[in-house]
Amino acid sequence: LRDQVKPVLLGCITTIGSFAGLLFIQTDLLRDFGLFAAFAILGTTLVSLIWTILGLDGYVNGCFQTWYILGEWFLGAIILLYLLYPVLIRLVNRYELATFSAVLLLFAFSSQIQMLNQNPFRNITSCLFSFIVGIETARHKAYRKKSLVLVLVVSSLALMFFDIDITYNYRCHIVGFGLFFGLFYIGEKVMNNQ
């Protein structure tokens, strides 16, 4: 990202300067156009820069042009989820089943559509589902339940090696959960044997 900032900023500044150069022309129409274009590009640059600094440009890239490159959606997801964490943990503590069910339904619904022109795997509801599953896994120590670990690992292997008709988003989540549970189980066994 650091390598991209300087050329993009220089490109914006020179474009703004080019349009601002029209302010010195005697024709009112061209002068007005130069003023409008310079401020429009300046405003777009500032708004895009703000979204990029906040790490949320991956989520708004489908709505308007940002400097989104690759992987920044994950930074935005982390920021948003940790801002939501106090509310989420309070909801989980008070209404565990209702909260999990609501997030699961939201995840299932959003997996079928593209929100903000974004891949369903990368949208915030998909990340919220993973986050809630992580909270529930830690609360109930689900990673220690051998039957659950076995089911998730076998499901993950089946999805990785066989062509099973399931959406990409569901496939990624099941494989991710299976790999986490399986590797955690193996790691725990290795650490206990030392």
Side-chain angles (χ1 to χ4, degrees), residues 3-192:
D3 296 336
Q4 300 292 325
V5 170
K6 193 173 185 178
V8 170
L9 276 176
L10 286 175
C12 290
I13 290 169
T14 55
T15 305
I16 291 168
S18 298
F19 282 116
L22 293 174
L23 297 174
F24 302 106
I25 292 182
Q26 298 301 322
T27 310
D28 289 339
L29 180 64
L30 286 176
R31 192 173 30 234
D32 291 345
F33 173 72
L35 186 65
F36 172 76
F39 278 117
I41 294 172
L42 177 65
T44 303
T45 302
L46 291 176
V47 168
S48 296
L49 188 59
I50 289 168
W51 286 117
T52 300
I53 290 170
L54 293 175
L56 301 175
D57 50 348
Y59 287 101
V60 297
N61 191 42
C63 300
F64 57 88
Q65 185 63 39
T66 64
W67 293 343
Y68 177 68
I69 299 172
L70 176 67
E72 297 160 13
W73 67 270
F74 189 66
L75 174 63
I78 291 171
I79 291 169
L80 287 173
L81 291 172
Y82 279 100
L83 287 173
L84 289 173
Y85 179 76
V87 174
L88 290 174
I89 201 67
R90 183 171 287 146
L91 287 171
V92 167
N93 286 337
R94 289 186 183 171
Y95 314 105
E96 183 175 17
L97 185 58
T99 302
F100 186 79
S101 300
V103 170
L104 179 63
L105 287 172
L106 185 63
F107 167 70
F109 174 73
S110 68
S111 293
Q112 306 304 317
I113 61 170
Q114 280 195 335
M115 294 172 46
L116 300 175
N117 293 328
Q118 193 171 36
N119 179 328
F121 179 70
R122 294 181 176 178
N123 73 36
I124 192 65
T125 57
S126 182
C127 297
L128 176 65
F129 175 69
S130 295
F131 199 67
I132 288 289
V133 168
I135 290 171
E136 292 295 336
T137 298
R139 279 178 67 127
H140 298 288
K141 297 188 181 4
Y143 45 82
R144 295 184 186 217
K145 297 179 181 169
K146 291 180 185 178
S147 58
L148 180 61
V149 171
L150 183 63
V151 167
L152 283 171
V153 168
V154 169
S155 300
S156 295
L157 292 172
L159 287 171
M160 287 191 297
F161 295 111
F162 298 106
D163 188 25
I164 298 171
D165 188 28
I166 188 172
T167 66
Y168 175 75
N169 197 8
Y170 296 153
R171 179 184 298 266
C172 288
H173 277 81
I174 293 168
V175 169
F177 296 149
L179 289 175
F180 168 78
F181 277 75
L183 292 173
F184 187 91
Y185 184 79
I186 292 169
E188 194 171 59
K189 291 295 183 192
V190 168
M191 295 303 288
N192 288 337

